[in-house]
Amino acid sequence: MPEGDTVWRAAAKLDRALTGHRLTISDFRVPGYATWDLTGGTVIRTLSRGKHLLTRIDADRAWTLHTHLKMEGSWHVYPEGEKWRRPAEQVRVVLGIQTRKAVGFSLGIVEIVPRQDEAALVAHLGPDLLGPDWDEERALHNLRAEPARPVGQALLDQRNLAGVGNMYMAELCFTSGIHPATPLHLVGDLPRLVRRAKQMLEVNKERAIQTTTGDLRPRERMWVYRRDTSPCRRCETPIRVEMLGEPGRERAAYWCPSCQPADF
């Protein structure tokens, strides 16, 4: 699933492409909204909230288009006449203005709600690491509410803090020397971990190629994520991967057994 910085960039791209323009195309290719037509409406803004995208459109009334990329979704912006880079059968939404189109492919969520109901869509989320509402103390309070919970699971729970996905979870645990299954109450410096999470997303939000090592070369960008069986960059111990989490909601966790011992 995309990380919070990926969604932030998607929102910025849509905002630059559409905000302030009237829609000349409004095409929703999902059953619940196939007959909807917002043509003529003005796009007011697109913003991200954690991993959710909110596009505000003023048509006959104030609406919000809520989309979520889930595992395979993406938004592309194409100049008029340019060939789409993904198959047409994957298209879920097309929003067009006079010179360009924004095309949403394989979106996991597509819904349109009255603007006054927008807040309810994301009310369950914790503070957004890249949002104007970021509140470190509230995020720490949320995390500390379940002291026995494994830190990896807690970081992925968007109700605690919004924006961390599998990649950043693995990289945060490694750079903090913490095994991802460590109970939260045994994490020595939780504020430092949360600050590092914000720092990682802030550093990467403006670039399409994410890195936590500072190296943008292929296979050199991450410390442990998707590097199972490869040697640790610090100690050369083979990186391990294992499915961790609640039954039915397991996620792949990557760690170095030497740098992140399971001593709990």
Side-chain angles (χ1 to χ4, degrees), residues 40-61:
T42 300
V43 180
I44 304 304
R45 188 183 179 192
T46 297
L47 65 156
S48 63
R49 183 72 170 81
K51 299 186 181 185
H52 300 254
L53 287 161
L54 305 171
T55 300
R56 296 170 179 166
I57 302 169
D58 283 355
D60 56 316
R61 58 187 292 191

Side-chain angles (χ1 to χ4, degrees), residues 18 24 26 39 91 146 163 204 228 247 254:
L18 300 177
T24 57
S26 162
T39 301
V91 174
E146 296 183 277
N204 281 295
D228 42 306
Y254 300 80

